[in-house]
Amino acid sequence: MPGALTQPQTKLSLHPAPRPACETALELANVSKTYGSGAGAVHALRGVDLHIGTGSLSLIAGPSGSGKSTLLSVLGCLMQPSAGSVRVFGEALEKRSESHRSSVRRVNFGFVFQGIHLLPALTGLENVLLAGEIKGLSASEEQARSLMARVGVAELHDRLPKDMSGGQRQRVAIARALFGKPRILLADEPTAALDRRNAAATLELLRELSRSLDVAVIVVSHDRSLFHYADRLLELEDGRLKE
Ligand SMILES: Nc1ncnc2c1ncn2[C@@H]1O[C@H](COP(=O)(O)OP(=O)(O)OP(=O)(O)O)[C@@H](O)[C@H]1O
Ligand SMILES: [Mg+2]
């Protein structure tokens, strides 16, 4: 077969392929997570059921220690629950190997971590391109540049993180999380380091991206007043989730 041995061209475009609106991205059924055992056991999640669709922004709010980061780690297949099941686009993952889970993670998820975490020695553009390398995608400077323009920081390609504002850094971190067209974007306290105005602008950006790129965006925050910017508010209290 001519051409069968040539390298596939990974020509990434910014917009994902057309797909049905509001597809179910994530499903949790009766998920629990317990850290430790015996008298010292901490029940971080207790019987959580959840369905999340693409094309919308869900806010998971709750006080410190209520289980938000634990829930996000389970949703992102970074951590196995102690009981219950997690499905990503309908696929149950609990009995799959770690390497399979890791490839599901690489293909489907983008993460915006608490504290932003841009690499200080790399420019804005290099930080975005780094996500491609981590995901094993060929470096597409064109995609990185268009993502930076998409989140409103086109002019920061060559700037180091120390010379950006907190809000600009967060936008670069969002562009980085979107590299490779993930279908699910998870963000842990993405506004914690920002003032009110930048926090609102970041949430507005995330909601707009959820719609235009048909991504399931899930934000966790202790600040339930951010629900103004969300399509859906879920509240965690002592490991229990209610809508
Ligand atoms: N690795 C761990 N080992 C033991 N207990 C843990 C571990 N990680 C979290 N916990 C406990 O599980 C509970 C939920 O923690 P989690 O980090 O999910 O809360 P959170 O809602 O994200 O809190 P915060 O708003 O402070 O980030 C807490 O009681 C915490 O102390
Ligand atoms: Mg947390």
Side-chain angles (χ1 to χ4, degrees), residues 35 42 44 63-70 114 189:
Y35 295 107
V42 177
S64 182
S66 58
K68 303 182 298 297
S69 295
T70 303
Q114 204 162 358
E189 300 276 4

